[in-house]
Amino acid sequence: MRLPSHLGIEHGRLRIGGHDCTTLAEIYGTPLYVTDLDRIAGNFRRFHAALAAHYPQTQMLFAAKANGNLAVIRTLAAEGAGADVFSAGELELALRAGMKPERLLFNGSSKSPTDLALAVETGVRVSVDSLEELRQLDAVAAEAGKTAGIAFRVNPALEVPTHPKIATGLKTSKFGIPAEEITAAYAEALASEHVEPVGIHCHIGSQILEVEPFARAAEVMNGVAGEVTDLGVDLDFIDIGGGLGIPYHHDTDAAPTPEEYAAAVMPVFLRGIRECGIDPSLWVEPGRWLVGDSSVLLVRVNSVKRAHRTFVNVDAGFNLLVRPAMYDAYHEVLVAGRADAAADGTYTVAGPICETGDLLAQDRGLPAPQAGDTIAVLDVGAYGFAMSSQYNSRPRCAEVAVTGGKHAIMRRAESFDDITATMETPDRTA
Amino acid sequence: MRLPSHLGIEHGRLRIGGHDCTTLAEIYGTPLYVTDLDRIAGNFRRFHAALAAHYPQTQMLFAAKANGNLAVIRTLAAEGAGADVFSAGELELALRAGMKPERLLFNGSSKSPTDLALAVETGVRVSVDSLEELRQLDAVAAEAGKTAGIAFRVNPALEVPTHPKIATGLKTSKFGIPAEEITAAYAEALASEHVEPVGIHCHIGSQILEVEPFARAAEVMNGVAGEVTDLGVDLDFIDIGGGLGIPYHHDTDAAPTPEEYAAAVMPVFLRGIRECGIDPSLWVEPGRWLVGDSSVLLVRVNSVKRAHRTFVNVDAGFNLLVRPAMYDAYHEVLVAGRADAAADGTYTVAGPICETGDLLAQDRGLPAPQAGDTIAVLDVGAYGFAMSSQYNSRPRCAEVAVTGGKHAIMRRAESFDDITATMETPDRTA
């Protein structure tokens, strides 16, 4: 199996950032997320360089929903990243990680009054999703005696080749304002006293493995940029969103590189701003591409059952990695201690959750997994721990960071007491 | 809309257990789960009575995965319920709620060494899912100098009318031992020194709205009971699982009553034990039926957007209720303050999560929802909070219990600090 450079196999054993996965599982216990922070920094630098080669005024905003661990966000902050934040919690994380408010965009289709007040208070830019939200934000900013810098989120009405649940730029999606209504929206924003339109924003979806949809979206944004510039908006930034996919199928997915992405998108973007006669910052919002391949989930085999299929029963399921159950997502799996051994049969890796759909990997060739073996699930850095739950009353596992040749806990494992900590038990009096 | 007796509309306002939902939302804030504990007790009594009328030796085991709040489990424990537990955490919750160990079944297809040791230590019965697990349990019990009472989980290889992710009795499902191999498994258990086979167990799935599959499963279990009795097993219990559905579509689902369920299943069960000449306890494992209709999720409207559809943007999404996004599940929704007003149009209730699939209810007739309105999502007591996450770095909401005319917190809301509490942030040194 093709592996990215931070993973490797030595004497048959899988390593991440130079550390033996089986050893990490022994030291910290399983299940265990292991994240290579250096890989994240490297991914960031590569993506940024690919775009900056075309246009130096490029600002990368990490899509914070992909991975909410402070160690990850700190790593990206240190590289100069900002963040696309989707909630007060993500905003707080980004600020705490040391990101500058001017590099943050408060995104979201359903912001509460508290969210809007926080955005105004911290001075971050706001991606406004509806006219009603514009009016609410104007009122909140007026009350605070401030002016909020905004973009509207444009719905580009594009079909993209990805899972429908994460195709965010569809005509029928809940996100954004239809392109044909966008000029009127900016006109209203210009006329509002306490908001200042300074950007335009779109995002077409996630895990897209072709570059052409991004170029089409950039074309739509050129049209919007022209219209709003004519209207008198001084565009400080154009945010073209994120969505570049990663090769979850290591040997068969043809995933575009950041350089290929840049080669497809940047000429369109550059032509657009030249035609408008403007020089805004380019904002880009990768999430999965920066962190997805940085992590492995290490799980332990509890038992192997030969039934109508052969099940390898492991100690984590969709409580800790929901993508296979929720999106039919594919993740490569390896027996960590025999990572280059030949398969002896076909196995289905099943979690401990009480649902038939709790399968991490189906019908894979593996080398005779046995109770006690460590299995590594690859590419879990994005939408992995971030979407975890305590379903079946299972405490969530630890996360370990590997960096600079060392390893350390970046999130401790929960205990049973963490599950009950927020519970009160009122007596039933009836 | 047809409503169960603990819900009602007074002066146009939705009430639960006699409490005005809008008022509860004001007092406790939104999002908010509200659970009527008295309804749960009533559901339990009705289900138990329906079965006990046919066969007094009926023991109800609450499927604890459906709702892991201690107040809920205490309510059921006080009624005499046991529990079907699927993890060490659920076992701990059941014991802490006051359930007796002899009324618990430790179920699960992937038990860790720790799980098995805990089962032996607490003396609960174990539903064994594979021969390898049998041998592991025998070894663990030997080491503890004890004997573990077990059932095997039988895979009845039945197709049932429900969502494939929760059809647990399919031939290809990860659960249980194929019926044709079950006699050999019991023979091995009889020959094992530290396990004692005392029961048989099956479960065919969840949210099943016909009684006929349950009768077929009971027929399969009769066959198994005959075989293992002939083998010399003294059956102390026969556990026929759970799975009876509830009418999520209030006006159109034809959900069988517990009495109808009992009328279909009990004659089969009774004929089976008569033919075997045995009088085991009947164990039944309802989850959803006991708690599903007991709870509403109250959410606040942040904004309304007219785009290609009209979106009602609310403050909770699949972070707090994953069923619509994960299983395309349907939940009734009402504007709590105008619960009997006529619809003025068609609305899609969308959550605040950054995914297109984050819709709680699609294309519903509602009476002109507006920012600030409280919307009630019905029937969220099962697999609601239990499957919640902190996705998008959103703290989870509070749960309130209503009982005996009072209301009280049964789980406090999380804060941002609860999200970061387990994080450590190792420096990246490279």
Side-chain angles (χ1 to χ4, degrees):
Chain A
M1 184 188 303
R2 213 180 296 167
L3 291 176
S5 62
H6 63 300
L7 300 180
I9 299 172
E10 211 165 287
H11 306 301
R13 298 161 74 92
L14 182 69
R15 297 166 75 88
I16 178 167
H19 302 281
D20 184 290
C21 286
T22 312
T23 306
L24 291 174
E26 278 162 15
I27 294 172
Y28 295 102
T30 60
L32 184 71
Y33 270 88
V34 183
T35 297
D36 187 332
L37 297 180
D38 304 335
R39 174 70 179 181
I40 292 174
N43 285 346
F44 178 89
R45 288 174 198 170
R46 179 172 173 189
F47 206 127
H48 181 258
L51 296 168
H54 293 259
Y55 191 63
Q57 281 165 259
T58 295
Q59 175 62 51
M60 304 265 286
L61 279 71
F62 172 53
K65 62 186 181 292
N67 192 316
N69 194 297
L70 267 173
V72 167
I73 304 177
R74 285 219 165 102
T75 298
L76 288 161
E79 297 294 329
D84 151 37
V85 300
F86 222 82
S87 68
E90 289 184 2
L91 176 56
E92 181 76 29
L93 283 172
L95 292 173
R96 212 182 273 196
M99 288 176 172
K100 297 183 183 157
E102 60 267 29
R103 294 182 179 174
L104 303 181
L105 183 67
F106 200 139
N107 200 341
S109 56
S110 184
K111 301 188 194 77
S112 69
T114 318
D115 292 338
L116 296 175
L118 186 68
V120 168
E121 180 199 326
T122 55
V124 301
R125 307 287 172 75
V126 181
S127 172
V128 174
D129 203 85
S130 69
L131 287 178
E132 179 162 27
E133 190 185 303
L134 177 75
R135 293 162 200 159
Q136 291 171 349
L137 181 63
D138 189 51
V140 167
E143 196 164 321
K146 296 194 175 181
T147 299
I150 67 141
F152 281 106
R153 178 151 172 175
V154 181
N155 181 338
L158 290 180
E159 303 277 336
V160 294
T162 189
H163 194 289
K165 283 178 185 166
I166 52 177
T168 54
L170 298 177
K171 191 172 170 182
T172 53
S173 122
K174 68 177 179 175
F175 295 107
I177 292 178
E180 61 272 21
E181 297 172 20
I182 204 75
T183 312
Y186 275 92
E188 179 166 341
L190 279 172
S192 301
E193 212 170 328
H194 293 274
V195 296
E196 187 187 358
V198 293
I200 56 178
H201 178 216
C202 83
H203 178 67
I204 59 171
S206 191
Q207 183 52 20
I208 297 168
L209 290 178
E210 300 169 18
V211 294
E212 187 270 336
F214 297 106
R216 267 191 292 147
E219 201 69 76
V220 171
M221 293 297 271
N222 282 349
V224 174
E227 286 172 36
V228 306
T229 301
D230 289 348
L231 209 61
V233 174
D234 186 7
L235 281 181
D236 189 43
F237 70 91
I238 293 178
D239 185 335
I240 59 171
L244 186 61
I246 63 171
Y248 284 110
H249 296 80
H250 282 205
D251 294 333
T252 55
D253 276 344
T257 62
E259 294 78 18
E260 289 164 342
Y261 169 84
V265 170
M266 294 307 291
V268 180
F269 169 77
L270 291 171
R271 176 169 46 74
I273 61 170
R274 200 172 51 237
E275 285 172 7
C276 292
I278 56 176
D279 62 343
S281 293
L282 172 66
W283 287 13
V284 186
E285 298 172 350
R288 192 186 312 265
W289 206 92
L290 299 182
V291 298
D293 71 4
S294 71
S295 310
V296 298
L297 173 59
L298 303 179
V299 298
R300 181 189 182 277
V301 177
N302 284 327
S303 57
V304 177
K305 177 170 74 174
R306 289 178 197 278
H308 301 286
R309 299 158 90 180
T310 301
F311 291 98
V312 179
N313 298 310
V314 299
D315 59 2
F318 81 68
N319 53 324
L320 293 178
L321 181 65
V322 81
R323 298 188 70 257
M326 188 144 174
Y327 311 110
D328 300 315
Y330 180 98
H331 287 269
E332 301 287 2
V333 294
L334 290 169
V335 177
R338 299 188 298 286
D340 55 5
D344 81 316
T346 300
Y347 298 87
T348 290
V349 180
I353 298 299
C354 186
E355 300 207 10
T356 299
D358 184 37
L359 306 175
L360 291 177
Q362 298 191 51
D363 301 325
R364 304 293 178 83
L366 290 174
Q370 292 167 34
D373 276 344
T374 299
I375 288 190
V377 186
L378 307 190
D379 306 310
V380 298
Y383 311 103
F385 196 97
M387 299 183 78
S388 64
S389 72
Q390 294 164 329
Y391 188 39
N392 283 201
S393 298
R394 290 186 170 266
R396 286 175 297 181
C397 71
E399 292 191 278
V400 160
V402 302
T403 174
K406 299 181 190 156
H407 50 79
I409 286 281
M410 68 176 192
R411 188 189 314 256
R412 69 161 172 81
E414 291 177 339
S415 67
F416 178 70
D417 288 341
D418 288 306
I419 289 182
T420 55
T422 54
M423 292 186 203
E424 311 280 342
T425 53
D427 285 333
R428 198 172 66 81
T429 55
Chain B
M1 184 187 304
R2 215 180 292 166
L3 292 176
S5 62
H6 63 300
L7 300 181
I9 298 172
E10 211 165 286
H11 307 301
R13 297 160 74 90
L14 182 69
R15 297 166 75 88
I16 178 167
H19 302 280
D20 183 288
C21 286
T22 311
T23 305
L24 291 174
E26 278 162 16
I27 295 172
Y28 294 103
T30 60
L32 184 71
Y33 270 88
V34 183
T35 296
D36 187 332
L37 297 180
D38 303 335
R39 175 69 179 183
I40 291 174
N43 284 347
F44 179 90
R45 288 174 198 170
R46 179 172 173 189
F47 206 127
H48 181 258
L51 296 168
H54 294 259
Y55 190 63
Q57 281 166 257
T58 296
Q59 176 61 50
M60 305 264 285
L61 279 70
F62 172 53
K65 65 185 179 291
N67 191 319
N69 193 299
L70 266 173
V72 167
I73 304 177
R74 285 219 165 101
T75 297
L76 288 161
E79 297 293 328
D84 151 35
V85 300
F86 222 81
S87 69
E90 289 185 3
L91 175 56
E92 181 76 28
L93 283 172
L95 292 173
R96 211 182 274 196
M99 288 177 171
K100 298 182 182 160
E102 60 267 29
R103 293 183 180 173
L104 303 181
L105 183 68
F106 201 138
N107 199 341
S109 55
S110 185
K111 300 188 194 78
S112 70
T114 318
D115 292 337
L116 296 174
L118 185 68
V120 167
E121 181 199 324
T122 54
V124 300
R125 306 287 172 74
V126 181
S127 172
V128 174
D129 203 86
S130 69
L131 287 178
E132 178 162 27
E133 189 184 304
L134 177 76
R135 292 160 200 159
Q136 290 172 349
L137 181 63
D138 190 51
V140 167
E143 195 163 322
K146 295 194 176 181
T147 300
I150 67 139
F152 281 106
R153 178 152 172 172
V154 181
N155 180 338
L158 289 181
E159 302 278 335
V160 293
T162 189
H163 194 288
K165 284 178 183 164
I166 51 177
T168 54
L170 297 176
K171 189 171 169 181
T172 54
S173 123
K174 68 177 181 177
F175 295 108
I177 292 177
E180 59 271 22
E181 298 172 20
I182 204 75
T183 313
Y186 275 93
E188 179 166 341
L190 279 171
S192 303
E193 213 169 325
H194 293 273
V195 295
E196 187 186 1
V198 293
I200 56 178
H201 179 216
C202 82
H203 179 66
I204 59 171
S206 192
Q207 184 51 20
I208 297 168
L209 290 178
E210 298 169 21
V211 296
E212 186 270 337
F214 296 107
R216 269 192 292 148
E219 200 69 77
V220 171
M221 293 296 272
N222 281 350
V224 174
E227 287 173 35
V228 306
T229 301
D230 289 348
L231 209 63
V233 173
D234 186 6
L235 281 181
D236 188 43
F237 70 91
I238 293 178
D239 184 335
I240 59 171
L244 186 60
I246 63 171
Y248 284 109
H249 295 81
H250 281 206
D251 293 333
T252 54
D253 276 345
T257 62
E259 295 77 18
E260 288 163 343
Y261 169 85
V265 170
M266 295 307 291
V268 180
F269 169 78
L270 291 170
R271 174 168 49 70
I273 60 170
R274 199 172 54 238
E275 285 173 9
C276 292
I278 57 176
D279 62 344
S281 293
L282 172 67
W283 286 13
V284 186
E285 298 172 350
R288 193 185 312 264
W289 206 93
L290 298 181
V291 297
D293 72 4
S294 70
S295 309
V296 298
L297 173 59
L298 303 180
V299 298
R300 180 188 181 278
V301 178
N302 284 328
S303 57
V304 177
K305 178 170 71 174
R306 289 178 197 277
H308 301 286
R309 299 157 90 179
T310 301
F311 292 98
V312 179
N313 297 310
V314 300
D315 60 1
F318 80 68
N319 53 324
L320 292 178
L321 181 66
V322 81
R323 298 188 69 258
M326 189 146 174
Y327 311 110
D328 299 313
Y330 179 98
H331 287 269
E332 300 286 4
V333 294
L334 289 169
V335 177
R338 300 188 298 286
D340 55 6
D344 81 316
T346 301
Y347 298 87
T348 290
V349 181
I353 298 298
C354 187
E355 301 207 8
T356 299
D358 184 37
L359 306 175
L360 291 177
Q362 297 191 51
D363 300 325
R364 305 293 178 82
L366 290 173
Q370 291 167 34
D373 276 344
T374 299
I375 288 189
V377 186
L378 308 189
D379 306 311
V380 299
Y383 310 104
F385 196 97
M387 299 184 79
S388 64
S389 73
Q390 294 164 329
Y391 188 39
N392 283 200
S393 298
R394 290 186 169 266
R396 288 175 296 183
C397 71
E399 292 191 279
V400 160
V402 301
T403 174
K406 297 181 192 156
H407 51 80
I409 286 281
M410 68 177 192
R411 186 188 315 256
R412 70 161 171 81
E414 291 177 340
S415 67
F416 178 70
D417 288 342
D418 288 306
I419 289 182
T420 55
T422 55
M423 291 186 204
E424 311 279 342
T425 53
D427 285 332
R428 197 173 68 78
T429 55

